[in-house]
Amino acid sequence: MKTIVLAGGGHTHLEVLRRLTAERDTEVKWVLVSASRYHYYSGMFSGFAEGLYTLEDIRIDLKKICEDKKIDFIEETLHSFDPEKREVVLSSGEKLQYDRLSLDIGSHTAPGNIERLAEKQVQIKPAHLFSDRIEACRKAKELVIIGGGAAAVEMAFSFNQWKQQNGRKYDCVTVIASSELIDQKSDAVIETLFDHKGIHFSKNDTAVKVTDRYVMTESGEEVPYNEVIFLGGAQAPALLAESGLPVDDKGFIKVNGCLQTTDDSRVFAAGDCAALTTHPNLPKSGVYAVRQGEVLHHNLIASLKREGMKDYVPQSRALILLSTGNKQALMLYGKWRQFGSWAWWWKDYIDRGYMKKYQ
Ligand SMILES: Cc1cc2nc3c(=O)[nH]c(=O)nc-3n(C[C@H](O)[C@H](O)[C@H](O)COP(=O)(O)OP(=O)(O)OC[C@H]3O[C@@H](n4cnc5c(N)ncnc54)[C@H](O)[C@@H]3O)c2cc1C
């Protein structure tokens, strides 16, 4: 009997689980180790923060899927893994042997280079922390979001909308972005929408320090806050580098096109925690993580059988539907930027369809 350990219940492993059929090889035992019983779908985080979706709308019960598929489910955090011993160590100290290990443990949101941020921020990643931490941000009189990408901008719209609709019109949401808002093509339209909705922002200025009362920026601005969240890019879980396997300059584990780590053919990784050597600039985004599922499922089985493996080739452009609050959204696709209610309904249709596929 061979054992494949799936560590982390992220977007890619969810797709791997979906593809495991009852007719699979009975000589292979599959085990899912997940820090949470649930997978939380980040595409619906903004709608949840705004109050449009319930907790049950945005999460998928991994334990139930495993029971249905007769896969071992262990609700625990992966503490470390030892490629030489082919062993994973769980937070309880329990050890598991593996023949193949696949990592899909996502990323964190705490950067080391903003003084005292780690201590002061509301940490909403790993993904299972998200729902519990949202209330503090909704109720903050002054909420500061550090980051200028899609996640930061979308969450600013969502929290602002929640405040408008829940008697907190005089609360303040401020975005601090070290570059333009999302990208050059989106910047002007986001700026107009922020102005229209009363969302404060500061562009091309970097947050450098968090005091008890202010977020300080490089230009010397002091932005008051009650709660601060960092959405300025994914940070690597430390256990990846601690394994001794090669990581990129940010600490994400290096994988080849087959999603196999570059120094150990028995260890695979996908989603945010992986650094693809074939596509080093691939954004850390759920849309790419989901599509890796098919390749990962095939390759984990093929590698045990010593059969041919598939290469993961990312789509050349991804469609982004960015919720701007009040059931409106902005579509970003290539050079196109289009705004309206239709874009939100389209997003809602896609997101609910995604959830139905797995629930
Ligand atoms: C606020 C916000 C909004 C976003 N919105 C979007 C969006 O609309 N569209 C989009 O494409 N991307 C979005 N993203 C990015 C997206 O969240 C990530 O790119 C995506 O979740 C990556 O998927 P993943 O499978 O790598 O990891 P995740 O989906 O993060 O899953 C990792 C899983 O592993 C578990 N885990 C973590 N550590 C361990 C451990 N040590 N042991 C066991 N389990 C562990 C976690 O609980 C989690 O369930 C958003 C991100 C944020 C922060």
Side-chain angles (χ1 to χ4, degrees):
M1 177 73 91
K2 302 274 186 196
T3 302
I4 299 179
V5 173
L6 304 175
H11 291 68
T12 319
H13 281 172
L14 189 62
E15 179 58 19
V16 171
L17 292 177
R18 192 181 74 83
R19 286 172 178 271
L20 289 176
T21 60
E23 292 78 46
R24 66 179 185 266
D25 187 348
T26 50
E27 287 305 303
V28 180
K29 177 178 155 185
W30 293 77
V31 181
L32 174 67
V33 175
S34 174
S36 164
R37 174 179 177 150
Y38 297 99
H39 164 84
Y40 291 86
Y41 174 47
S42 58
M44 290 170 103
F45 279 3
S46 59
F48 179 75
E50 189 181 332
L52 297 173
Y53 302 127
T54 65
L55 199 51
E56 292 318 311
D57 288 333
I58 69 157
R59 69 184 189 182
I60 292 161
D61 191 340
L62 294 167
K63 187 171 180 220
K64 183 168 179 310
I65 294 180
C66 288
E67 278 167 5
D68 291 348
K69 302 242 171 186
K70 303 198 171 17
I71 289 161
D72 290 5
F73 175 78
I74 302 176
E75 188 175 340
E76 265 205 61
T77 302
L78 175 73
H79 174 266
S80 58
F81 66 97
D82 184 332
E84 275 180 21
K85 293 187 187 159
R86 280 193 277 145
E87 181 178 88
V88 299
V89 182
L90 308 183
S91 49
S92 61
E94 191 191 337
K95 292 176 180 170
L96 294 176
Q97 296 296 128
Y98 63 78
D99 294 286
R100 295 292 177 273
L101 169 64
S102 175
L103 303 160
D104 178 21
I105 56 171
S107 54
H108 296 185
T109 55
N113 57 356
I114 302 178
E115 212 182 313
R116 291 186 71 200
L117 177 66
E119 164 200 341
K120 294 289 179 190
Q121 70 165 343
V122 181
Q123 185 160 354
I124 60 170
K125 279 255 180 171
H128 61 274
L129 300 177
F130 182 79
S131 58
D132 286 345
R133 308 278 166 95
I134 281 312
E135 211 50 25
C137 301
R138 283 176 172 165
K139 305 264 171 77
K141 183 132 192 55
E142 287 160 317
L143 173 66
V144 172
I145 298 176
I146 302 173
V153 166
E154 195 177 40
M155 294 308 284
F157 283 124
S158 300
F159 285 122
N160 185 65
Q161 192 63 38
W162 188 91
K163 288 167 179 297
Q164 296 299 312
Q165 288 173 347
N166 289 275
R168 303 189 71 98
K169 284 195 171 133
Y170 300 106
D171 285 6
C172 182
V173 176
T174 306
V175 171
I176 301 176
S178 58
S179 57
E180 66 268 6
L181 298 167
I182 302 192
D183 55 31
Q184 243 179 352
K185 291 192 193 82
S186 315
D187 188 61
V189 56
I190 299 291
E191 195 171 319
T192 308
L193 285 166
F194 273 3
D195 283 340
H196 176 67
K197 288 171 182 279
I199 297 171
H200 298 216
F201 60 93
S202 138
K203 292 190 304 183
N204 302 311
D205 197 6
T206 307
V208 288
K209 182 178 174 178
V210 182
T211 67
D212 290 342
R213 186 70 191 98
Y214 300 100
V215 178
M216 323 267 289
T217 70
E218 207 167 44
S219 72
E221 230 192 300
E222 296 185 346
V223 185
Y225 79 95
N226 299 110
E227 300 292 356
V228 54
I229 32 180
F230 178 84
L231 290 172
Q235 310 292 311
L239 70 88
L240 302 173
E242 285 163 9
S243 71
L245 293 184
V247 292
D248 72 359
D249 55 356
K250 292 190 177 128
F252 295 103
I253 198 156
K254 283 190 180 175
V255 295
N256 60 25
C258 303
L259 305 176
Q260 204 169 25
T261 56
T262 50
D263 269 22
D264 187 337
S265 59
R266 295 188 181 97
V267 180
F268 291 71
D272 277 10
C273 72
L276 268 166
T277 50
T278 46
H279 296 87
N281 298 320
L282 193 72
K284 303 279 183 210
S285 165
V287 293
Y288 297 106
V290 172
R291 296 270 185 102
Q292 289 168 9
E294 185 205 342
V295 172
L296 183 64
H297 167 259
H298 174 89
N299 288 353
L300 283 168
I301 295 168
S303 101
L304 274 182
K305 292 185 178 166
R306 300 187 190 285
E307 289 173 357
M309 291 205 275
K310 288 185 183 174
D311 257 341
Y312 164 69
V313 182
Q315 60 268 46
S316 55
R317 336 171 149 158
L319 168 73
I320 298 177
L321 293 164
L322 190 116
S323 173
T324 56
N326 204 21
K327 298 194 175 174
Q328 293 187 308
L330 177 70
M331 183 198 76
L332 293 77
Y333 187 69
K335 62 179 183 181
W336 301 102
R337 301 290 176 271
Q338 296 287 331
F339 171 74
S341 299
W342 59 270
W344 187 87
W345 287 108
W346 188 13
K347 174 173 167 52
D348 181 65
Y349 176 78
I350 293 173
D351 289 341
R352 287 188 189 275
Y354 173 87
M355 294 302 284
K356 264 201 203 112
K357 199 165 140 188
Y358 298 103
Q359 275 166 337

